[in-house]
Amino acid sequence: MASVPSTPHNQKRTEGPLASLVSTLRADNRDQLVALLSLDPLSNNFTLDQLNTDDNPNSPDAKSISVSHKNRLVFANENLRTLLVYHTLQDRSTMFKPKKNARRKQGGRGILSNVEESMGLLTTNNFGIVGTRVMFQSDPDDDAEGGGRVGDDSVANTPMGTETIYNPQNHKTSTSVFGSGLAGMEDPRDNIDGANVVLYFIHPTPQHIQAVSKIIRSSSSLSNSNNVNPFDNNVNIINKVTKHRIVFLPRINALSKRIMADENIVKRKDVAVHTLDMNLIPLEDDVITCLDMDATMMDCHVNGLVSEHVTNVAMSLRKVQDICGTIPRLQSFGTMGEMVMERTMALRLDEHDPYENGGDNEEEEEYSEIAAAIILDRKIDLITPLITPLTYEGLLDDVLKIESGFIKVEADVISPPEDEDDGKAPPDRPKYMHLPLNDLDTLYTEVRDQHVEKFGSFLQDQAKALKESHANFSDKNKDLTEIHQFVKQIPIFTQNLKSLTNHIHLAELVKRTTEQSEFRQRWQTERSMVESETCYDVIEDLIASQYPVFRLLRLLCLQSLTSGGIKTSRYDALKREVVQTYGYEYMFTLQNLEKMGLLRKRESMWDVTSPFATLRKQLSLIQADVDPSNPDDVSYVSSGYAPITARIIQTSMKGWTGKEEALRELPGRGIEVLQRSPPEDFATALKAKIGIPLGQWAKQTSGDSDDKPVLLIYFVGGLTYAEIASIRYMSKQRSFPYNIICCTTKIINGGSFLQSLQ
């Protein structure tokens, strides 16, 4: 009988492979954010010194600080709000939950939205936060993959392909600097929240800066007039915003400064500009994101804007090494991986002081908690994001879209009306619920990487075990001591029951999706393609039936990648049908897919070679006999297809002898260096021969210790949940020499990946 997870959300859990790194990042990020929130409205500069209790024992720390003024937080997008409010501001050791009466009522409506409460925000909090807004909010119904996004319930539906821009002037429509087709979004809470300071958290992009400039100018005209509280006709409140803080993450660049100067906002006395050095935010104990950078692949491989992203990733790696020590061995695959490695070593060399040890070049080797790192360019494996994952977490992302550890799901799915006492849903219940999915939920950590054929029966076993546990507690032949122990276990039992109920309903939703003929046909088509079959007729039929456009493009790109391109006549016909069926705007999308290498026209009839065919054979990508319920290979994540990136990691453990042909088919090159003390430049380090594969390096590093060393894997351009599941599977195997922790610029799936290339 499966055991019931008895660890509630607020008790100690099993820590990840590198708890010191994760806890340090969380503490440092939180301290920076709290210091900014606590900054006096009249001040323009902030440092962490105000939270430094070592030099000033009377100064408050991040846990005890209390902000007297009121902060309104405006985020560029949903991901930034989730990352900063939920994953950064919350103290996971004392993760507070929304309370029934925590929301202040105003005329029957709450000050905080449902999504804000789901992130743990309370109306009464130590940080003076009176609410959050999102500048660019995609319409949930605009998601061509069929899933919703985390967002305010007040966001109205907008036409396809548009975004909602937060507009404090309450304009029903607005002429936007971002082009036509963008609607203004009003939020009446701006009139009653009494905010003194508005903080705008943005990336250094022209779009974000221009949006903030527009909002600040709108707020200035708004503050010159009285605003009637829409919830109370007897109250007339004037907006008292005294400071606008523009906060760049992770840093500001020269282009951003120029745009702000052109917008004429930096010289204003009520505007201050800040940066937060928060380029790494832990999502899980073994998964860290580099600020969920959406445009990495578009900028680097389509627009040619490589430098900014390479520097951001390299600086995040330097931060890891500042915390854990210099990583002695680096390995990279792909062009972007090599560029990040070179930049990382250059940063270390620039920071090195040759006179620190009296000019002595003989320095002791630094101790590192990380034995080695592998940097992977997403372009070496463009196929895995296009394949439908078959794990619980991967399917939830495919069906509902997981955004920074949250899903948005209809309330009737989680709490069906028939489950209520009167058979009806409460009239005041919101239409959507926002649920966190992370390692604070111990049941979720057990089920997230299980295959679709297993997690249903697993949850059934959990339900049976929980029922038996409750029956034992209800035994009347209990003495007072046993009754006392039972009472102490009630909160744990309640939490486990709630978690189990949620996941059973989510699993039912996933099961219904996977049992549909459309899903099965899609999976079968994908499998045929990776086995080098051509499915042009299937693609043409899907276009004729107006299949969701990004689902269709996923199959079209997969066909091109697995067959070495599409012959010219067929390619031109398919491209014409896509444009005529879905609209001429997709001409630009198709061009970007070509630049990325996702689509390729096969010019010559003799050009029939496919790099993928070599990779499939050399790396054993297809394992048709894998048992999904009791897997013995990473290919279980998609019922027999192993991610190329997972096979690259496995092969690196044994060395590439005999697999050189596969290595040559990967874009870019595979290289590795040792980071010595004193530091060397990249060219010099490349000349040194290492001689042993990573597997033997692990044994050499760990020595006589029984604990496996830590391997850091950095995905530049995105990481899928199928890859996360396969990496966790490898890390748990006794035969695998490392415990793995993952870093990535963003967690992606096929839909979000292709949409980022629009």
Side-chain angles (χ1 to χ4, degrees), residues 385 387-391 393-395 398 519 526 554 637-638 721-722:
I387 298 290
T388 300
L390 294 178
T391 62
E393 188 171 45
L395 285 168
D398 193 75
F519 181 91
E526 293 173 355
R554 284 172 67 169
V637 298
S638 57
Y721 283 110

Side-chain angles (χ1 to χ4, degrees), residues 407-418:
I407 58 169
K408 177 179 178 179
V409 60
E410 290 185 4
D412 287 347
V413 172
I414 297 298
S415 182
E418 55 267 23

Side-chain angles (χ1 to χ4, degrees), residues 467-532:
K467 184 177 180 179
E468 291 178 3
S469 177
H470 181 265
N472 291 333
F473 284 146
S474 304
D475 188 356
K476 296 180 180 180
N477 299 319
K478 297 285 187 182
D479 58 28
L480 291 177
T481 302
E482 291 174 319
I483 294 175
H484 178 68
Q485 289 297 322
F486 163 69
V487 172
K488 290 175 61 177
Q489 294 294 318
I490 288 178
I492 298 175
F493 180 85
T494 303
Q495 182 60 57
N496 287 335
L497 179 60
K498 179 181 178 182
S499 174
L500 180 60
T501 302
N502 288 345
H503 287 296
I504 286 176
H505 288 309
L506 290 174
E508 289 173 344
L509 174 64
V510 168
K511 279 281 192 179
R512 286 197 298 270
T513 302
T514 58
E515 289 171 356
Q516 293 175 358
S517 59
E518 181 274 331
F519 181 91
R520 294 181 179 276
Q521 180 188 10
R522 187 207 327 159
W523 182 87
Q524 188 59 54
T525 303
E526 293 173 355
R527 177 50 55 88
S528 298
M529 289 177 177
V530 297
E531 293 177 354
S532 292

Side-chain angles (χ1 to χ4, degrees), residues 114-357:
N114 293 307
V115 63
E116 290 168 336
E117 289 188 339
S118 69
M119 293 179 184
L121 273 182
L122 303 180
T123 301
T124 303
N125 58 76
N126 295 334
F127 312 111
I129 299 174
V130 294
T132 66
R133 314 288 187 266
V134 175
M135 286 195 295
F136 294 96
Q137 167 68 56
S138 297
D139 176 19
D141 294 334
D142 185 31
D143 186 359
E145 295 290 72
R149 295 175 183 267
V150 179
D152 277 336
D153 299 329
S154 59
V155 177
N157 291 337
T158 53
M160 180 175 179
T162 67
E163 288 180 309
T164 303
I165 297 181
Y166 165 62
N167 180 6
Q169 277 190 296
N170 297 331
H171 285 175
K172 295 294 183 182
T173 58
S174 62
T175 303
S176 172
V177 294
F178 315 106
S180 60
L182 296 173
M185 181 190 78
E186 63 179 38
D187 195 324
R189 294 181 297 166
D190 292 351
N191 300 322
I192 59 173
D193 63 10
N196 309 115
V197 179
V198 182
L199 299 96
Y200 307 90
F201 296 91
I202 63 175
H203 292 309
T205 66
Q207 185 187 39
H208 290 181
I209 299 169
Q210 290 168 345
V212 168
S213 302
K214 179 181 177 66
I215 293 172
I216 292 176
R217 287 194 293 268
S218 299
S219 298
S220 297
S221 60
L222 184 65
S223 62
N224 293 327
S225 62
N226 289 350
N227 299 279
V228 178
N229 178 354
F231 303 119
D232 189 347
N233 294 327
N234 298 320
V235 180
N236 192 18
I237 300 177
I238 301 177
N239 199 332
K240 295 291 185 180
V241 174
T242 59
K243 181 69 72 175
H244 298 273
R245 301 195 187 280
I246 305 175
V247 187
F248 287 91
L249 293 96
R251 58 197 178 91
I252 190 173
N253 54 30
L255 178 61
S256 301
K257 294 179 181 179
R258 177 62 184 270
I259 295 174
M260 285 194 297
D262 293 342
E263 293 287 340
N264 294 320
I265 60 170
V266 290
K267 295 182 179 180
R268 293 172 47 133
K269 294 182 179 180
D270 62 341
V271 174
V273 179
H274 309 279
T275 61
L276 286 180
D277 182 24
M278 289 167 36
N279 44 14
L280 286 176
I281 298 179
L283 296 178
E284 308 271 0
D285 286 340
D286 59 351
V287 179
I288 302 173
T289 180
C290 186
L291 275 179
D292 262 11
M293 296 190 292
D294 296 295
T296 301
M297 296 297 283
M298 179 73 168
D299 285 347
C300 294
H301 296 289
V302 177
N303 297 330
L305 304 175
V306 178
S307 177
E308 185 79 14
H309 293 279
V310 168
T311 300
N312 285 339
V313 174
M315 291 181 69
S316 69
L317 268 173
R318 281 300 303 149
K319 177 179 282 189
V320 169
Q321 295 184 99
D322 288 341
I323 297 171
C324 299
T326 301
I327 302 173
R329 183 168 176 174
L330 300 178
Q331 193 174 91
S332 74
F333 294 90
T335 305
M336 289 293 294
E338 180 176 339
M339 295 175 70
V340 167
M341 180 191 290
E342 182 176 3
R343 182 66 178 138
T344 301
M345 296 186 69
L347 289 173
R348 179 172 178 248
L349 189 60
D350 292 342
E351 296 170 4
H352 176 65
D353 182 3
Y355 301 103
E356 187 175 358
N357 295 327

Side-chain angles (χ1 to χ4, degrees), residues 297-298 302 589 592-593 596 598 753-758:
M297 296 297 283
M298 179 73 168
V302 177
T589 303
N592 290 340
L593 296 179
M596 174 63 64
L598 286 161
F753 177 42
L754 296 187
Q755 288 179 51
S756 71
L757 301 176
Q758 283 185 291

